[in-house]
Amino acid sequence: MNKSNARLGWLFASPYLIYSLIFFLFPLLWATYLAFTNWNLIAPDYEFVGIQNFIQAFFTDTVRAAFFVTYKFLAMFVPIVVAGALFLAVLIHSLPKFKGLFSVAFFLPYLASGVASAIVVNGILSYNSPFNIWLRGTFGLDINWLGSSLLAPLIIALMMAWKFAGYYALLFVAGLESIPKEIYEASAIDGAVGWKRFWHITLPMLYPSFYTVTILAVGLMFGIFTEPYVLTGGGPDLATHTWQLEIYSQAFERLNAGFGTAIAVINSVVTFGSILVFRKILEKWGAKHGWE
Amino acid sequence: MKKFSMRLIMLMVIVSIVASGCQSSSSGGGSGSEDGIVTINFWAAPNPSQQAFWTDMADKYMKENDKVKIEVSPMPESPSSEAGIQSAIAAGNAPTISENISRGFAAQLAASSAIVPLNEIDGYDELIKSREMKETISTWKFSDDNQYVLPIYSNAMLFGWRIDILNELGFDAPPKTYSEVLEVGKKLKEQDSEKFLWARGDLVKPTWWARWFDFFMVYNAASEGNKFVEGSEFTADDKAGIETLEFFKNLRENDLLLTREATDPFETGQAIMSDIGPWTFPYWADKFPEMKMGENFELSMPPVPDGVDPANAKTFADTKGLSIYASASKEQQQAAFDFVKWVYSNAENDMKWFEETNLPPARDDLSTNDTFKAYFDKNPQLVIYAENIPNAVPPIDNEKTVEVQELIGKEALIPVLNGEKEPKAAWSDMKEAINGELK
């Protein structure tokens, strides 16, 4: 690369770099600094409290709940959304016509407002909804969907999966489109057809898409806010209390901005660590199938 | 090449520092005065009707006072108006004055010296007198004897009762005491076991503000308005508190509560009692025009324990008001206060507010002043709200309001409703937890 090309590259990249500096790097540094103070964002004075906020976070039951609840969401959401997105992608890919139209149709839930879809789900699951009246009348089943510690997170995970499956399916469709036909032809000669072909050829060949989708899905679970905020408020018994709900409550309801940012910093470290672990697992799986 | 890259990076850092430092120069801070004209920023609640009201008032005031410039804008909601205000103060962009301030949030702001005591501003007594709000504002006094918020409206929260169903059950008026409520409930269950007395999903949610519309409505009635927290002291009435929890326990044991989300349970007759504020009526006019006071619903103050006179019942006041920010200059603070004083010196302006927002102005004379008579004649359901403004207790004025109200739910109300604790033990646990929090 010659000098003028490099200069041009820097020049073209500079708007995004400036944007990142203003909206990501400075706030990150500022938040890290705040995490070591007891500032509430409105008082004229505040003190440096060292690592006190971080120690307090480890002894706060709501922070501990947020930690475990996120992994519970992960365990529910990631398999559902990956399987759902893959199913949609295969469905779209196998269509003889109108692939684009169906791709867009399945992508639409991604554009829906979280608040609006939470309100719709709330209506569907309400005690006197036609669905629940039918369940009670036909099977005698009276299910407290959002009042159960097991069902409430599952419903939120399903809702999120509905929203993101279409988006992630696009990534899988791109992956499916990029598998060379020759590989299928060669495998057919070796007797790999139908389910065998899907399991031994298609899935391993989709590794790059799996990698992207899984990492995106894992990262997403550390940032859930709207759905539990609207549907459950973090209950019942903190069963849907996420990191973002805790950060919001501490920083903006209790006005403990210093403590809230300390939790946000812990959240970023946990997110980073978790993504790293998932990356390693995925890379091992990839390496097993020839992806280095 | 390296030199160029380094220069470019340095340039980007400088540009971004300058850009991030660029803030609106029209903040409440600074002198706000130029060429003898005082500029004040007024943040209105983020809804069109309140914004329209304040914009109209500001325009009229500026016509009469050419030395004041009032810039009315909606307060940011990111994600709540409180968070928006907090961020603005942190960024040095606080307005001069804003509405939509609850008493609990004002306590948090006052504890950090972010708002000023209104009673120390010239003209305060005159305003209270001219707006006829001496009695209403007396319950708003903060523990340091100052007034940080001027209440604009006050919704005395009431219970709505399906009078048509009560009549079918053989009652001709809403019940006033706990035993009367339970009697109604038992008759209701005998008639239709699928129906409930009160359907409220928020009852078992940990959301702190939900306690205003369940626990505090019933507690304020039972305690005749006793203060729950005074300064940093837990001062709640133990007897009334335990009776309140006993009431909830009895409702649960008799299967009279639906603690799940339900769509319009009161309107559809699934439940016959509901906590109702004046904001419900425009919704009904739109979606349930058949809901008519006297025909299928009545309004009443919350029930009281047996042995307590229902005439002394108090309730929760859903109320918000105006605060002036400490970051504004003295000149701006006075100008903002003078504007408010001008608005409230004329009852017609309160009438205009009432018409546009349906929120009852926080005045002692609302139900007796002739200015409002025609409006009440057209909207008889609002009369009882107006009459009970002096009987409505505003929220706790403690900077730990959120923590206190979360503990009410976590330690007392929710465990009692789930059958996990007895009322006495629940009250004692809650008291201990709140005392620990307030220390």
Side-chain angles (χ1 to χ4, degrees):
Chain A
M1 191 192 288
N2 62 35
K3 270 187 182 177
S4 68
N5 271 351
R7 283 181 187 184
L8 212 60
W10 274 103
L11 210 63
F12 282 136
S14 58
Y16 180 73
L17 291 173
I18 292 172
Y19 167 81
S20 301
L21 277 173
I22 297 172
F23 293 105
F24 294 105
L25 189 65
F26 288 154
L28 181 69
L29 294 175
W30 177 235
T32 311
Y33 167 72
L34 264 188
F36 294 94
T37 70
N38 63 356
W39 198 28
N40 63 4
L41 289 184
I42 53 177
D45 306 310
Y46 56 90
E47 289 161 8
F48 186 78
V49 294
I51 57 165
Q52 193 187 305
N53 287 333
F54 293 91
I55 295 169
Q56 194 190 334
F58 284 102
F59 293 100
T60 304
D61 57 350
T62 45
V63 177
R64 283 202 304 268
F67 179 85
F68 291 113
V69 161
T70 303
Y71 289 111
K72 190 163 64 179
F73 273 125
L74 260 182
M76 293 173 176
F77 173 74
V78 177
I80 296 172
V81 79
V82 171
L86 187 63
F87 174 75
L88 288 182
V90 172
L91 204 71
I92 294 166
H93 183 64
S94 62
L95 288 173
K97 272 183 182 178
F98 307 119
K99 280 186 190 179
L101 185 75
F102 280 96
S103 299
V104 171
F106 286 122
F107 178 73
L108 284 178
Y110 176 71
L111 303 176
S113 133
V115 175
S117 33
I119 290 170
V120 170
V121 169
N122 213 10
I124 293 170
L125 300 178
S126 72
Y127 178 81
N128 52 359
S129 70
F131 173 60
N132 273 322
I133 291 171
W134 174 76
L135 276 183
R136 282 198 299 274
T138 315
F139 304 105
L141 280 175
D142 188 13
I143 303 170
N144 189 357
W145 298 100
L146 297 172
S148 147
S149 299
L150 181 71
L151 289 175
L154 184 65
I155 285 158
I156 291 172
L158 282 169
M159 220 182 120
M160 304 280 291
W162 166 78
K163 187 170 176 165
F164 284 89
Y167 168 42
Y168 294 161
L170 291 183
L171 300 173
F172 279 126
V173 169
L176 287 168
E177 301 282 349
S178 68
I179 299 174
K181 278 187 181 148
E182 292 79 10
I183 294 181
Y184 285 130
E185 285 163 8
S187 66
I189 295 167
D190 292 334
V193 286
W195 179 249
K196 227 179 196 178
R197 184 178 85 165
F198 180 74
W199 191 254
H200 293 290
I201 308 293
T202 310
L203 278 189
M205 289 303 287
L206 277 177
Y207 168 74
S209 309
F210 266 113
Y211 187 91
T212 311
V213 166
T214 310
I215 297 300
L216 285 175
V218 170
L220 184 75
M221 286 300 96
F222 289 88
I224 314 174
F225 176 76
T226 311
E227 289 78 7
Y229 183 74
V230 176
L231 282 176
T232 60
D237 291 333
L238 299 174
T240 57
H241 190 74
T242 62
W243 282 105
Q244 303 306 315
L245 279 182
E246 177 64 11
I247 294 165
Y248 171 73
S249 164
Q250 291 293 351
F252 296 112
E253 287 185 338
R254 297 158 189 248
L255 301 197
N256 294 329
F259 185 48
T261 44
I263 299 168
V265 170
I266 296 171
N267 174 28
S268 348
V269 172
V270 172
T271 309
F272 182 73
S274 304
I275 288 178
L276 216 62
V277 169
F278 272 87
R279 266 186 59 181
K280 289 283 167 205
I281 296 169
L282 285 166
E283 278 164 8
K284 266 194 172 178
W285 181 71
K288 217 173 115 184
H289 292 91
W291 293 93
E292 292 292 342
Chain B
M1 180 61 221
K2 266 188 185 169
K3 242 183 178 177
F4 173 79
S5 305
M6 282 309 293
R7 277 184 196 160
L8 196 67
I9 290 169
M10 285 302 293
L11 185 70
M12 285 192 295
V13 170
I14 292 165
V15 168
S16 47
I17 289 171
V18 171
S20 61
C22 284
Q23 290 168 349
S24 165
S25 57
S26 59
S27 72
S31 75
S33 177
E34 211 173 275
D35 301 330
I37 296 175
V38 183
T39 302
I40 58 175
N41 295 296
F42 188 110
W43 278 8
N47 67 63
S49 53
Q50 281 169 251
Q51 273 171 55
F53 172 81
W54 287 111
T55 305
D56 181 45
M57 288 295 117
D59 288 346
K60 285 179 179 157
Y61 184 70
M62 284 188 288
K63 272 183 197 158
E64 290 181 23
N65 298 272
D66 56 0
K67 295 287 176 202
V68 179
K69 188 180 171 200
I70 305 168
E71 292 172 352
V72 178
S73 55
M75 56 174 55
E77 276 193 296
S78 47
S80 63
S81 57
E82 285 85 357
I85 289 170
Q86 196 187 350
S87 307
I89 294 171
N93 282 331
T96 314
I97 179 169
S98 79
E99 61 162 335
N100 212 31
I101 303 294
S102 71
R103 199 160 174 255
F105 185 51
Q108 289 175 315
L109 293 172
S112 293
S113 311
I115 51 177
V116 296
L118 302 177
N119 49 303
E120 289 178 5
I121 298 179
D122 281 350
Y124 173 80
D125 292 333
E126 207 182 313
L127 186 154
I128 302 303
K129 199 177 164 198
S130 64
R131 202 190 179 204
E132 297 279 351
M133 60 187 304
K134 200 175 168 189
E135 199 178 337
T136 304
I137 205 165
S138 64
T139 53
W140 273 75
K141 195 174 262 187
F142 284 65
S143 53
D144 64 357
D145 276 344
N146 281 319
Q147 293 283 7
Y148 292 96
V149 191
L150 184 83
I152 298 178
Y153 65 88
S154 182
N155 295 313
M157 288 301 299
L158 300 173
F159 278 114
W161 288 89
R162 284 296 299 257
I163 195 69
D164 49 349
I165 300 176
L166 284 180
N167 289 341
E168 282 171 26
L169 297 172
F171 301 93
D172 49 18
K176 289 183 173 167
T177 62
Y178 292 172
S179 56
E180 286 175 18
V181 172
L182 289 174
E183 199 190 329
V184 167
K186 277 176 190 163
K187 283 256 172 83
L188 177 74
K189 283 287 173 184
E190 280 167 19
Q191 191 206 53
D192 186 346
S193 62
E194 292 284 302
K195 286 192 174 176
F196 296 90
L197 192 84
W198 190 11
R200 182 173 159 78
D202 282 348
L203 271 172
V204 288
K205 278 191 186 166
T207 320
W208 68 274
W209 50 260
R211 301 294 78 86
W212 286 335
F213 306 101
D214 43 50
F215 177 83
F216 276 108
M217 281 182 74
V218 182
Y219 169 79
N220 286 342
S223 67
E224 298 181 4
N226 160 272
K227 280 195 174 175
F228 200 79
V229 169
E230 186 136 33
S232 56
E233 292 287 316
F234 176 82
T235 53
D237 181 334
D238 290 337
K239 184 173 173 280
I242 294 167
E243 279 175 333
T244 300
L245 293 177
E246 285 282 357
F247 176 59
F248 280 106
K249 180 192 164 193
N250 286 330
L251 293 180
R252 176 186 66 82
E253 285 182 343
N254 288 287
D255 194 23
L256 298 175
L257 293 176
L258 176 63
T259 55
R260 311 237 305 257
E261 289 299 333
T263 310
D264 302 319
F266 184 71
E267 294 80 352
T268 56
Q270 179 91 50
I272 62 165
M273 163 190 166
S274 179
D275 46 297
I276 287 178
W279 55 80
T280 308
F281 304 122
Y283 173 68
W284 281 354
D286 185 33
K287 290 273 172 76
F288 297 95
E290 69 277 15
M291 295 297 285
K292 300 266 183 244
M293 192 156 138
E295 284 178 29
N296 42 21
F297 80 93
E298 284 290 356
L299 296 164
S300 79
M301 286 289 273
V304 294
D306 297 1
V308 172
D309 184 357
N312 295 334
K314 304 283 181 190
T315 187
F316 168 71
D318 169 68
T319 171
K320 284 188 173 176
L322 291 153
S323 285
I324 294 179
Y325 291 83
S327 53
S329 68
K330 290 276 173 212
E331 208 178 2
Q332 286 174 307
Q333 290 172 1
Q334 188 63 55
F337 192 84
D338 290 344
F339 165 57
V340 172
K341 201 173 80 178
W342 174 86
V343 171
Y344 292 128
S345 63
N346 184 353
E348 289 294 340
N349 291 335
D350 263 328
M351 184 60 241
K352 186 176 162 55
W353 164 275
F354 204 6
E355 271 177 332
E356 288 189 8
T357 65
N358 221 33
L359 298 168
R363 304 175 61 110
D364 302 338
D365 65 344
L366 191 62
S367 58
T368 52
N369 190 319
D370 284 345
T371 312
F372 307 100
K373 196 179 173 301
Y375 190 67
F376 282 126
D377 289 344
K378 261 201 284 179
N379 299 278
Q381 70 275 16
L382 294 174
V383 174
I384 186 165
Y385 286 95
E387 285 170 350
N388 281 297
I389 287 175
N391 293 325
V393 182
I396 300 170
D397 69 325
N398 189 283
E399 59 181 304
K400 297 223 166 161
T401 299
V402 174
E403 286 88 336
V404 168
Q405 294 195 188
E406 272 184 359
L407 287 169
I408 295 171
K410 187 182 165 195
E411 297 291 342
L413 188 64
I414 298 172
V416 165
L417 289 172
N418 287 336
E420 295 159 358
K421 279 186 188 175
E422 282 301 309
K424 219 172 176 179
W427 183 261
S428 161
D429 290 350
M430 180 203 77
K431 192 174 168 178
E432 195 186 325
I434 292 176
N435 274 326
E437 191 64 52
L438 291 174
K439 267 179 195 162

